[in-house]
Amino acid sequence: IMKYPSDLTDSEWSTIKTILLDELPEYIKGRKKDIEELRDICDAIYYINKTGVQWEYLPNDYPPYTTVSYHYNKWKRLGLFEKINTALRRSVRKKLERSDEPTAALIDSQSIKSTPEAGGVDVGIDGGKLVRGRKRSIATDTLGLLITVFVHSANTSDKKAAMDVFKTLFELCPEIEKIWADSGYKGSLAAIPAGNAVMPVATPFRLNKPQNSQLTTLILQGSTNPPGIAGKTLNWRGVP
């Protein structure tokens, strides 16, 4: 029974449970109650992610917030959420008769206002959009399915943020051959990891092609780039 709209449906839980039990073998030998609690923990994490409430304000319908927080941080260290995302992306691509791994990607960013209480090195001002807060940089496949995301202060340039995005992108999807980007990523060639490179195609910007090229294209097409990739992808996924 779904207690809140953010809870997993039976179908969603069935899919995620298979992935979780593959990655967390200790639960397979546990009691049925342990696996049921695993679902409650997942639901609690989704509730926190959707509503943005503090851990202490987690409703009593869920396990204690200390338990949920412990598992969340443990799974984050294990890279479990990335593994779930990768498995789900491959599943969707397979249903659409695509290869498991994409050969093309899109990179974009979105600056989001932070709360007045937020501070520290992760908060800055995006001078172009006049937003004080954080910037999330994402890479998706051409279906809009998320590959990786990084959160920086809003005053981080797209070119600098691309260093983190590209590094993880090539680790997760080494077969990438093309990347669509807007003009904010001009000069991002230095962010491409060793063993990968880019060259211009139908673009008004002149880019120099490094040696040892494996990546064939970084397409900087300005206004012809598919608009608002970050906003469309994150809004589609229900990210506030």
Side-chain angles (χ1 to χ4, degrees):
I1 299 176
M2 295 176 62
K3 300 182 287 291
Y4 298 93
S6 57
D7 288 353
L8 295 166
T9 64
D10 289 341
S11 176
E12 291 170 338
W13 168 240
S14 177
T15 300
I16 291 180
K17 179 175 70 173
T18 301
I19 302 170
L20 285 175
L21 295 184
D22 284 342
E23 298 294 335
L24 303 172
E26 64 267 25
Y27 284 94
I28 298 178
K29 299 179 181 179
R31 301 168 298 172
K32 181 180 180 181
K33 181 181 178 181
D34 294 331
I35 297 179
E36 292 174 351
E37 184 183 41
L38 194 62
R39 178 173 183 173
D40 289 337
I41 291 171
C42 288
D43 285 341
I45 292 174
Y46 276 104
Y47 181 90
I48 290 283
N49 181 68
K50 183 63 177 179
T51 64
V53 301
Q54 298 177 6
W55 287 109
E56 293 85 347
Y57 289 88
L58 189 66
N60 293 329
D61 309 72
Y62 295 121
Y65 78 87
T66 51
T67 300
V68 179
S69 177
Y70 166 79
H71 282 84
Y72 170 77
N73 287 297
K74 176 183 177 181
W75 296 350
K76 186 169 67 171
R77 289 194 302 270
L78 293 173
L80 187 58
F81 298 112
E82 288 83 356
K83 293 176 181 178
I84 291 174
N85 181 70
T86 297
L88 293 177
R89 183 181 66 252
R90 288 172 175 170
S91 176
V92 172
R93 291 181 61 84
K94 186 175 182 180
K95 288 181 179 180
L96 296 175
E97 298 182 348
R98 301 289 189 95
S99 59
D100 286 354
E101 301 300 342
T103 57
L106 302 96
I107 183 173
D108 198 6
S109 67
Q110 182 183 53
S111 294
I112 303 295
K113 290 182 179 179
S114 59
T115 63
E117 295 80 11
V121 296
D122 291 334
V123 174
I125 297 177
D126 184 332
K129 300 178 181 177
L130 300 180
V131 172
R132 178 187 181 276
R134 296 183 174 93
K135 175 182 289 187
R136 45 199 184 195
S137 300
I138 72 169
T140 75
D141 65 8
T142 55
L143 298 174
L145 301 176
L146 188 67
I147 299 176
T148 186
V149 58
F150 279 88
V151 178
H152 309 265
S153 61
N155 62 344
T156 303
S157 68
D158 287 342
K159 182 170 65 174
K160 183 177 181 181
M163 297 180 68
D164 288 328
V165 177
F166 284 156
K167 181 177 184 295
T168 303
L169 176 63
F170 289 118
E171 289 175 353
L172 294 174
C173 302
E175 297 180 9
I176 292 290
E177 297 175 352
K178 294 183 180 180
I179 299 176
W180 276 269
D182 62 26
S183 58
Y185 293 92
K186 181 182 179 182
S188 295
L189 295 181
I192 303 295
N196 295 282
V198 299
M199 57 181 292
V201 171
T203 168
F205 308 111
R206 180 172 180 79
L207 302 175
N208 295 321
K209 179 182 177 182
Q211 298 177 348
N212 302 321
S213 173
Q214 291 182 14
L215 180 70
T216 59
T217 313
L218 173 63
I219 306 178
L220 296 173
Q221 293 187 341
S223 61
T224 61
N225 178 55
I229 297 302
K232 290 180 179 296
T233 299
L234 295 172
N235 288 337
W236 169 60
R237 287 175 166 263
V239 177

